[in-house]
Amino acid sequence: MSIQLKAQKKQMLVLAGTSHPELAQMVASKLGVRLGEISVFHKQNRETTVEIKESVRGKDVYIIQTGTKDTNNDIMELMIIAYACRTSAASNIIGVIPYLPYSKQSKMRKRGCIVGKLVATMLGKAGFSHVITMDLHQKEIQGFFSFPVDNLRASAFLIDYIQTSLPDYRNAVIVARNPNSVKRATSYAERLRLGIAVIHGEERMAECEEDDGRTSPPLPEAQVKDAFGLELLPQVAAKEKPPFNVVGDVGGRIAIIVDDMIDDVITFVKVAEILKERGAYKVLVVATHGILSSDAPRLIEDSSIDEVVVTNTIPHEVQKMQCHKIKTVDISVLLCEAIRRIHNNESMSYLFRNVGLDD
């Protein structure tokens, strides 16, 4: 006797960490499912304990957890939840991480390390089979992972906010905070049919003579020059950036500074002052991730910046109470659609329609 088993679609279970419960509830509501029962708490010695209060066996588990100012607890909590699902025989474990912690540390600095690669490896070891994230600081971070990563873009929501909330947005100019942001600014400008301006240079700081240990004693002259008296080691002049300067016309216009995240706002404040000095009558900062660490709300409130627009990938309700200039754009529907398409084995290309690679 042969037993025929009917193939059934795996059940979905959405779990939420403690970093952003409001966003998790919004995503679950739009999906038409309830959040799974889970208990996460921290002991007195700051160890994280997780208890999943329902079966995950054979299910596709989606864990919603973003990075906040408490980054280390967020990433550790995420991995413990994933490992608990893995050891409880979950079929697939998908991480929904709107802001990926440590994504800024994706390049080698002096004697440091590429922490983004370490985090990617740890997530894989914890049991994740797929990750959904948004606006990675460097898109090359996707290559750090040994499993699929969908890097969603919030640009469509931010552009829609500009078009609907600024009646005179046609009189605006997109500003790149530094030459590294030119591609992003150009992508926004092309879809809004606007011009761009670039901030070039840096603020003059007092020179630091600190020795980081990389300077060696000079070689004897006999080892520096060859038999003909020519220098063997070419002398390379150190890079020196000019003072802050605006490349482009912002006079009598709205200046919209675009970036992927806003954390330390000191540079944004100084750029806003320069733009106002050059004739811009309104300055907006538009970014996906509003980390807004330390005293950022106070600095924004006292600055020449008229408005800061960020998405709700990171909770910032406390910062909004401290600064009335901070506005929020909801992107939960994008995360919801990404989860729905992955669960139904549908193509993700629709979510990237008309989205520039440089966003």
Side-chain angles (χ1 to χ4, degrees):
M1 178 187 295
S2 62
I3 300 177
Q4 295 182 350
L5 296 177
K6 183 179 180 180
Q8 294 183 351
K9 187 171 147 183
K10 295 186 180 68
Q11 294 182 3
M12 173 194 296
L13 179 64
V14 180
L15 299 177
T18 61
S19 66
H20 202 342
E22 295 83 5
L23 178 62
Q25 186 59 59
M26 293 171 70
V27 172
S29 298
K30 288 180 172 61
L31 283 170
V33 300
R34 64 172 180 82
L35 288 176
E37 295 185 26
I38 182 173
S39 174
V40 180
F41 58 93
H42 302 282
K43 296 184 178 180
Q44 291 183 347
N45 63 353
R46 302 302 296 167
E47 285 187 2
T48 301
T49 303
V50 170
E51 180 182 354
I52 301 173
K53 297 186 177 181
E54 57 186 281
S55 174
V56 299
R57 182 177 297 274
K59 297 180 180 179
D60 287 344
V61 181
Y62 296 82
I63 305 172
I64 303 176
Q65 175 85 328
T66 192
T68 65
K69 291 186 289 186
D70 195 8
T71 303
N72 293 329
N73 276 335
D74 295 334
I75 196 70
M76 199 65 202
E77 181 182 307
L78 175 65
M79 290 190 294
I80 292 174
I81 296 174
Y83 193 66
C85 294
R86 176 184 174 185
T87 54
S88 298
S91 178
N92 292 299
I93 305 171
I94 298 92
V96 184
I97 316 172
Y99 172 63
L100 182 67
Y102 288 100
S103 61
K104 292 182 72 173
Q105 298 191 48
S106 58
K107 295 181 180 180
M108 181 68 75
R109 302 291 184 188
K110 293 185 179 179
R111 294 188 179 89
C113 64
I114 304 176
V115 186
K117 170 62 176 175
L118 174 63
V119 170
T121 303
M122 292 167 62
L123 292 175
K125 294 294 184 182
F128 285 102
S129 58
H130 200 136
V131 160
I132 303 170
T133 187
M134 185 170 290
D135 282 335
L136 289 171
H137 187 60
Q138 299 289 340
K139 297 172 182 60
E140 294 78 6
I141 294 175
Q142 288 180 267
F144 294 167
F145 293 83
S146 58
F147 49 84
V149 175
D150 286 309
N151 181 26
L152 305 177
R153 309 291 202 278
S155 58
F157 294 84
L158 297 173
I159 288 173
D160 180 69
Y161 178 89
I162 292 172
Q163 292 174 326
T164 56
S165 300
L166 295 177
D168 52 346
Y169 82 92
R170 291 291 183 188
N171 189 37
V173 60
I174 305 298
V175 179
R177 185 168 59 94
N178 52 49
N180 295 331
S181 304
V182 171
K183 288 184 177 181
R184 182 187 301 273
T186 302
S187 180
Y188 274 69
E190 288 176 348
R191 280 183 285 171
L192 287 166
R193 308 295 192 269
L194 300 175
I196 71 167
V198 183
I199 305 296
H200 183 244
E202 63 184 359
E203 185 185 14
R204 291 301 185 189
M205 304 292 288
E207 292 187 3
C208 178
E209 299 295 337
E210 180 182 357
D211 183 6
D212 65 358
R214 294 182 294 177
T215 304
S216 303
L219 292 172
E221 185 175 351
Q223 299 181 29
V224 175
K225 297 183 179 181
D226 61 12
F228 300 98
L230 300 176
E231 297 283 346
L232 293 176
L233 300 175
Q235 299 299 315
V236 181
K239 292 196 298 184
E240 183 176 352
K241 292 184 179 180
F244 271 133
N245 186 37
V246 180
V247 181
D249 181 22
V250 297
R253 298 189 178 187
I254 302 173
I256 304 175
I257 307 171
V258 297
D259 214 329
D260 64 321
M261 66 178 68
I262 176 169
D263 186 3
D264 183 5
V265 301
I266 294 177
T267 303
F268 289 95
V269 169
K270 295 185 181 301
V271 168
E273 292 174 355
I274 294 170
L275 292 171
K276 284 290 181 75
E277 291 173 0
R278 293 300 181 92
Y281 72 89
K282 192 173 183 180
V283 176
L284 276 72
V285 177
V286 176
T288 302
H289 308 298
I291 305 174
L292 303 169
S293 299
S294 189
D295 57 348
R298 180 186 61 80
L299 293 174
I300 294 171
E301 189 70 25
D302 299 336
S303 71
S304 301
I305 299 173
D306 295 284
E307 195 171 298
V308 172
V309 183
V310 293
T311 70
N312 58 343
T313 56
I314 298 174
H316 51 267
E317 292 305 316
V318 175
Q319 290 89 332
K320 287 182 71 174
M321 289 189 291
Q322 298 172 354
C323 176
H324 75 283
K325 297 181 180 180
I326 301 174
K327 309 297 180 183
T328 306
V329 175
D330 178 28
I331 46 79
S332 60
V333 65
L334 181 59
L335 298 175
C336 167
E337 183 63 13
I339 293 173
R340 189 194 67 79
R341 285 178 173 272
I342 289 174
H343 188 65
N344 294 324
N345 294 320
E346 297 178 12
S347 172
M348 297 288 285
S349 61
Y350 177 81
L351 302 182
F352 297 93
R353 187 180 58 176
N354 298 327
V355 172
L357 294 175
D358 299 317
D359 285 1

